[in-house]
Amino acid sequence: MSKTQLQRARNGELTSEMERIAERENRAPEFVREQVANGQAVIPANRGHEALDPMIIGREFATKVNANIGNSETTSDREGELRKLHAAIHYGADTVMDLSTGGTLDEIRETNVEYSPVPVGTVPIYEAVTLVDDVADLTHELLLDVIEKQARQGVDYMTIHAGVLMEHLPLTDGRKTGIVSRGGSILAKWMEENGMQNPLYASFEEICDVFVEHDVTFSLGDGLRPGCLADACDEAQFAELETLGELTRTARDRGVQVMVEGPGHVPMDEIEMNVERQQEACDGAPFYVLGPLVTDIAPGYDHITSAIGATEAARAGAAMLCYVTPKEHLGLPDEDDVRDGLAAYRIAAHAGDVASGLPGARDWDDALSEARYEFDWSRQFDLALDSERAREYHDQTLPGDNYKEARFCSMCGVEFCSMRIDQDARESDGEMESLRAETDLDESLAADVNLPPTGLHDTTAVPKLPAFLRREEGHADD
């Protein structure tokens, strides 16, 4: 049987995936291997995912961003989901999770794996629930069958809510919002109706065997995460966290890579403590956080409330951020929501890396600042996180090509542009030459996610895009 990335790292082997990651992260290959070997980082890379451009998740590397996509029972289809996948990758997602809950689940999942150069994650219990008339009818065998099928289809990592135990459920009784995790609520209902322990916990070693066979990475789900600030950091959340630490050690002992999911709603001043507590309980396993949302008052703007918390989590050591879109709590995201969510979270991840002093992370900021001071509008657009939007906003008021060399924008106009005034004063004093500097991004030590453009993946193994996407991008059909 083939070995997992973890087993091969422990054996001292440098895999092709590790070497590609070293190139993308600007790190020594041996450092990548050591981080994987000791469980501080994971490489989600199912052997059946042929289009994958390997990446790494760990606190010693650039902070990564996941984009949740997927349909619901009432909305979206394969074509719509492929559009969302394409948008997610274009705007810089490092991984995507297919959270589909209705329709042709196998077709959507297989299409996502086929066309995605980034790791694809799933939550298998969502599919399992669609195969029974009642949650109580779920069986250990059915759950294992679904997990094994998805592993064969090439899924790179799976959220497994194995840490929600029967003895934890009474701890949620006083919560304002109860159990807000889909998977957590499904399993809680199953345990209450069957009077038995969580089947994912009971079958955990069998799940490990499936994951070893295909090299699937665990994303241990936080089924008891808080759904509002009032429920943050309560006994239920931390009881589950201790169980996740136990499961982390079990999975590693069996050669399976593990990351651990984190809370969704946490006050700003408690985020760092949450990261530190997870790192201690789970022996340094990469922490993958949703948000956290730092206030509950802004439906429609939760990509902002959560990006604030995500920045602090990244600074404190979270390894991957799960984006939140403006539709959070309100509806199913579309392509525009994916774009807005990813912009907010790429900013959060980058800001966290700058604050953490990650090598070269600020070079991108410096290069754009130099272009701004030089009124090099074209370079500003090229360096912007979302080049298309930066150009669009500028051109709404000053669309002509002549304004691409103008020493002002429409915010201040000619007379009140502070940078023009400052430059003119410095030119007259002969000080401008000492300010001229250019950051060479080609020589930067930054990982590729901290360099423009976002969404830069090796797509040579990705099949040609379907005709409808090629037409929308302006490519002629062959």
Side-chain angles (χ1 to χ4, degrees):
M1 180 185 293
S2 299
K3 301 288 187 181
T4 66
Q5 293 289 328
L6 175 58
Q7 291 169 327
R8 295 166 75 181
R10 286 173 173 170
N11 290 339
E13 181 181 350
L14 276 176
T15 66
S16 59
E17 290 83 0
M18 295 173 198
E19 290 174 343
R20 169 60 177 153
I21 287 162
E23 176 187 351
R24 298 184 70 184
E25 296 282 336
N26 252 325
R27 297 297 185 92
E30 180 61 20
F31 178 74
V32 175
R33 186 198 66 77
E34 289 173 354
Q35 288 288 298
V36 174
N38 64 27
Q40 308 300 294
V42 297
I43 301 173
N46 188 315
R47 283 184 282 272
H49 189 169
E50 296 179 358
L52 183 68
D53 187 14
M55 54 83 72
I56 196 164
I57 302 166
R59 68 179 297 159
E60 296 298 324
F61 300 94
T63 305
K64 303 307 190 298
V65 175
N66 169 68
N68 287 340
I69 58 175
N71 72 351
S72 71
E73 294 178 279
T74 60
T75 309
S76 191
D77 54 15
R78 174 185 176 273
E79 186 172 302
E81 289 310 306
L82 193 52
R83 282 192 174 95
K84 282 192 274 187
L85 171 69
H86 187 255
I89 292 168
H90 178 71
Y91 291 111
D94 298 298
T95 78
V96 294
M97 289 200 79
D98 176 5
L99 305 186
S100 296
T101 57
T104 55
L105 297 180
D106 283 323
E107 181 184 30
I108 290 172
R109 186 182 311 114
E110 290 170 350
T111 299
N112 283 335
V113 171
E114 180 182 8
Y115 286 96
S116 178
V118 304
V120 175
T122 60
V123 187
I125 198 167
Y126 294 174
E127 179 181 4
V129 168
T130 69
L131 302 176
V132 294
D133 294 327
D134 187 85
V135 166
D137 297 333
L138 287 171
T139 65
H140 295 65
E141 293 74 21
L142 175 61
L143 288 166
L144 283 169
D145 285 348
V146 170
I147 289 169
E148 185 169 11
K149 179 186 70 173
Q150 293 192 8
R152 288 198 309 270
Q153 290 172 327
V155 171
D156 301 287
Y157 67 98
M158 298 186 200
T159 294
I160 303 294
H161 297 91
V164 183
L165 304 185
M166 289 184 68
E167 52 267 36
H168 297 160
L169 302 185
L171 302 177
T172 67
D173 289 346
R175 284 182 160 187
K176 281 189 181 295
T177 54
I179 299 174
V180 298
S181 159
R182 285 181 188 170
S185 64
I186 290 166
L187 289 162
K189 181 179 180 182
W190 187 94
M191 288 185 277
E192 288 170 346
E193 295 196 13
N194 287 284
M196 298 170 62
Q197 188 58 276
N198 182 343
L200 296 175
Y201 180 82
S203 303
F204 192 74
E205 292 190 353
E206 295 169 85
I207 299 171
C208 287
D209 292 340
V210 173
F211 281 19
V212 167
E213 181 178 354
H214 299 275
D215 201 358
V216 177
T217 298
F218 272 112
S219 184
L220 292 177
D222 52 339
L224 299 182
R225 68 176 179 267
C228 63
L229 298 190
D231 295 339
C233 307
D234 68 357
E235 196 174 355
Q237 176 191 334
F238 289 138
E240 181 187 25
L241 180 60
E242 292 302 317
T243 304
L244 296 180
E246 167 201 326
L247 295 171
T248 295
R249 290 181 280 276
T250 299
R252 285 175 175 171
D253 287 346
R254 300 179 76 86
V256 185
Q257 301 183 94
V258 184
M259 58 183 169
V260 176
E261 297 183 14
H265 294 245
V266 179
M268 186 78 165
D269 60 308
E270 296 180 357
I271 292 174
E272 183 175 12
M273 177 272 290
N274 270 263
V275 176
E276 292 173 350
R277 187 156 180 169
Q278 180 274 340
Q279 291 287 278
E280 181 178 356
C282 301
D283 297 343
F287 201 21
Y288 166 29
V289 298
L290 175 67
L293 286 75
V294 296
T295 180
D296 300 329
I297 65 167
Y301 298 92
D302 279 336
H303 60 311
I304 298 173
T305 65
S306 61
I308 294 168
T311 304
E312 173 64 4
R315 185 202 62 79
M320 185 159 77
L321 312 174
C322 184
Y323 86 163
V324 172
T325 76
K327 291 277 181 63
E328 186 76 9
H329 303 115
L330 301 173
L332 189 72
D334 60 19
E335 290 174 76
D336 288 337
D337 299 314
V338 169
R339 178 181 186 176
D340 289 344
L342 275 166
Y345 271 71
R346 283 258 58 101
I347 294 166
H350 181 77
D353 288 344
V354 171
S356 299
L358 204 68
R362 210 193 69 192
D363 290 347
W364 186 357
D365 302 76
D366 291 348
L368 196 146
S369 297
E370 292 158 8
R372 178 175 291 146
Y373 192 70
E374 293 288 335
F375 294 103
D376 188 340
W377 294 102
S378 294
R379 181 157 172 77
Q380 280 191 65
F381 300 148
D382 290 342
L383 291 175
L385 180 79
D386 186 336
S387 297
E388 298 156 21
R389 181 155 293 174
R391 186 182 299 274
E392 172 194 344
Y393 283 178
H394 175 271
D395 290 359
Q396 282 176 2
T397 50
L398 298 173
D401 288 343
N402 56 308
Y403 290 115
K404 300 302 186 294
E405 298 178 359
R407 298 175 67 205
F408 63 92
C409 71
S410 63
M411 175 176 281
C412 298
V414 180
E415 295 302 323
F416 289 94
C417 178
S418 57
M419 286 191 180
R420 183 196 60 77
I421 294 168
D422 183 70
Q423 284 186 12
D424 289 347
R426 292 179 186 277
E427 287 283 10
S428 64
D429 291 342
E431 296 178 1
M432 278 298 293
E433 287 302 319
S434 64
L435 291 179
R436 298 189 189 281
E438 185 172 346
T439 301
D440 187 351
L441 294 181
D442 291 335
E443 298 297 322
S444 175
L445 297 177
D448 65 4
V449 300
N450 279 320
L451 294 169
T454 57
L456 187 64
H457 305 285
D458 183 350
T459 60
T460 54
V462 176
K464 184 169 67 174
L465 293 175
F468 72 88
L469 275 178
R470 294 204 304 278
R471 284 196 297 271
E472 290 168 7
E473 290 195 332
H475 301 309
D477 288 337
D478 300 322

